[in-house]
Amino acid sequence: MSDPTVGSMATTPPAEQPTVAGGTAPPDSGLPANAKRDQPRGLLGDAWIDLRRKPLFWISATIILLFLVMAAFPSLFTSVDPTQGDLARSRVEPSGDAWFGYDVQGRDVYARVIHGARASILVAVLATLGTVLIGGAIGILAGFWGSWVDALLSRIADVFFGLPFVLGAIVILTTFNKPGSGNSYMKIVSLVLFSLIVLGWPVSMRIMRSSVLATKQADYIMAARALGAGSGRIILKHLLPNTLAPLLVYSTILVGSFIGAEATLSFLGVGLQSPVVSWGVMISETRDWVRVSPFLLFFPATFLVIAVLAFVMLGEAVREALDPKLR
């Protein structure tokens, strides 16, 4: 005789665990709670988790957010016209009526510092976007195609890279933006942006080219090519997302560098000029009055230094988060 329990063991399905609602339990009901939450994350997800633990990131991000709000909505911080002056209050020191005092032409320094954030940050951000887009596009083409394309684009980048940054900017700006030429606000800003982008894109190109050269021989790139993926799809879907990290770190630091570069060119008299209000223009206007009225230089220079340091600290925090070796 056969054992009657054998048939029942072979044919009877296991009992399902009821849930509160009366249904069946999910397949992972027996797993610990932390195992359910641990899902695979990409590079950016890991970087964000690491950034949230860094006080340096929150401090720099808060300062940058404050400057961005200041640049976008200066009326939230002051209602004084930064271009309206009164010579009767020329170089009046800081007081309760004017926190930062008045400049040589009797204009409120506090209002000019607040409104000056717009031009300084706008120029830096737009110049960074143009530099990263142009340099990144050329770099990814040079690294992906290689051969004579890489050689040609690299030699062109070497020509621009060999130009001294400040000297090249002075040559460009003195040619098209001579003092007293009466150029409009948009033309002055456009010329400064043009000079910064033309002289800054080779570094972005080299960074992206190096990333592409290190990535294009990866297994997933070779597999995509073997499956018949075209060059455009490989670049956009596979190469670009995996080579952006170094360029992202560089662009964050570059914003701070361009803020300082704009101030340098304005101080030399070839960058932004009146009627544009920027920190660099304010520093340039105080060069003859530093000894007798140091507060005219102190306040715009302080805001300039804080902004540059904030972007540099943010870039350093992002670099450490995106580099697994530094975690």
Side-chain angles (χ1 to χ4, degrees), residues 168-238:
I170 291 175
V171 171
I172 295 174
L173 293 172
T174 52
T175 303
F176 299 101
N177 188 33
K178 297 180 180 180
S181 57
N183 291 327
S184 63
Y185 173 87
M186 291 303 301
K187 186 172 182 180
I188 294 174
V189 173
S190 300
L191 288 174
V192 175
L193 286 174
F194 175 76
S195 64
L196 294 177
I197 293 173
V198 165
L199 298 170
W201 69 267
V203 179
S204 300
M205 180 265 185
R206 288 187 172 187
I207 293 175
M208 178 58 78
R209 175 181 174 274
S210 300
S211 299
V212 173
L213 289 176
T215 307
K216 72 175 185 178
Q217 299 299 330
D219 293 338
Y220 60 89
I221 300 293
M222 305 302 293
R225 194 186 300 275
L227 292 174
S231 299
R233 181 176 179 84
I234 292 176
I235 291 175
L236 295 177
K237 298 292 185 180
H238 302 287

Side-chain angles (χ1 to χ4, degrees), residues 89 92-102 107-110 299:
R89 56 193 186 191
V92 174
E93 296 184 355
S95 62
D97 297 331
W99 294 350
F100 294 174
Y102 295 95
R107 297 170 297 192
D108 192 319
V109 177
Y110 172 75
F299 293 108

Side-chain angles (χ1 to χ4, degrees), residues 159-171 199:
V159 171
F160 284 91
F161 193 78
L163 296 175
F165 186 88
V166 176
L167 179 60
I170 291 175
V171 171
L199 298 170

Side-chain angles (χ1 to χ4, degrees), residues 5-327:
T5 59
V6 174
S8 60
M9 292 175 61
T11 58
T12 304
E16 296 179 345
Q17 300 178 358
T19 60
V20 177
T24 59
D28 59 351
S29 59
L31 296 177
N34 58 352
K36 301 176 187 178
R37 291 193 301 266
D38 290 340
Q39 299 294 333
R41 294 186 300 267
L43 178 63
L44 294 180
D46 290 337
W48 170 241
I49 292 177
D50 188 65
L51 279 175
R52 289 188 299 180
R53 304 191 189 104
K54 295 181 178 293
L56 186 66
F57 167 74
W58 290 111
I59 294 174
S60 58
T62 302
I63 295 174
I64 291 173
L65 180 61
L66 177 62
F67 279 124
L68 293 178
V69 174
M70 186 186 302
F73 308 102
S75 59
L76 296 177
F77 299 87
T78 180
S79 59
V80 179
D81 187 356
T83 61
Q84 184 178 2
D86 184 359
L87 293 178
R89 56 193 186 191
S90 176
R91 294 191 294 113
V92 174
E93 296 184 355
S95 62
D97 297 331
W99 294 350
F100 294 174
Y102 295 95
D103 66 0
V104 179
Q105 299 183 19
R107 297 170 297 192
D108 192 319
V109 177
Y110 172 75
R112 290 179 64 78
V113 168
I114 297 299
H115 284 267
R118 171 174 294 180
S120 297
I121 294 179
L122 179 65
V123 168
V125 171
L126 292 180
T128 300
L129 289 176
T131 300
V132 169
L133 289 177
I134 294 175
I138 296 176
I140 201 170
L141 292 177
F144 180 76
W145 292 109
S147 187
W148 65 269
V149 177
D150 184 17
L152 177 62
L153 295 178
S154 297
R155 299 296 79 77
I156 294 176
D158 290 341
V159 171
F160 284 91
F161 193 78
L163 296 175
F165 186 88
V166 176
L167 179 60
I170 291 175
V171 171
I172 295 174
L173 293 172
T174 52
T175 303
F176 299 101
N177 188 33
K178 297 180 180 180
S181 57
N183 291 327
S184 63
Y185 173 87
M186 291 303 301
K187 186 172 182 180
I188 294 174
V189 173
S190 300
L191 288 174
V192 175
L193 286 174
F194 175 76
S195 64
L196 294 177
I197 293 173
V198 165
L199 298 170
W201 69 267
V203 179
S204 300
M205 180 265 185
R206 288 187 172 187
I207 293 175
M208 178 58 78
R209 175 181 174 274
S210 300
S211 299
V212 173
L213 289 176
T215 307
K216 72 175 185 178
Q217 299 299 330
D219 293 338
Y220 60 89
I221 300 293
M222 305 302 293
R225 194 186 300 275
L227 292 174
S231 299
R233 181 176 179 84
I234 292 176
I235 291 175
L236 295 177
K237 298 292 185 180
H238 302 287
L239 273 180
L240 189 59
N242 292 282
T243 55
L244 276 180
L247 197 60
L248 178 62
V249 174
Y250 175 70
S251 62
T252 307
I253 301 176
L254 190 61
V255 176
S257 300
F258 277 157
I259 292 177
E262 179 274 319
T264 301
L265 296 175
S266 298
F267 180 80
L268 295 174
V270 296
L272 300 181
Q273 302 172 8
S274 295
V276 180
V277 180
S278 76
W279 296 329
V281 172
M282 295 180 65
I283 294 174
S284 176
E285 293 174 346
T286 63
R287 68 177 72 186
D288 298 328
W289 308 94
V290 175
R291 292 187 177 182
V292 294
S293 301
F295 66 91
L296 296 178
L297 173 66
F298 175 78
F299 293 108
T302 299
F303 275 69
L304 174 67
V305 170
I306 293 175
V308 173
L309 286 177
F311 280 102
V312 172
M313 289 190 302
L314 179 63
E316 183 66 19
V318 173
R319 183 181 71 86
E320 293 179 358
L322 291 176
D323 191 349
K325 298 178 182 179
L326 300 177
R327 294 179 186 173

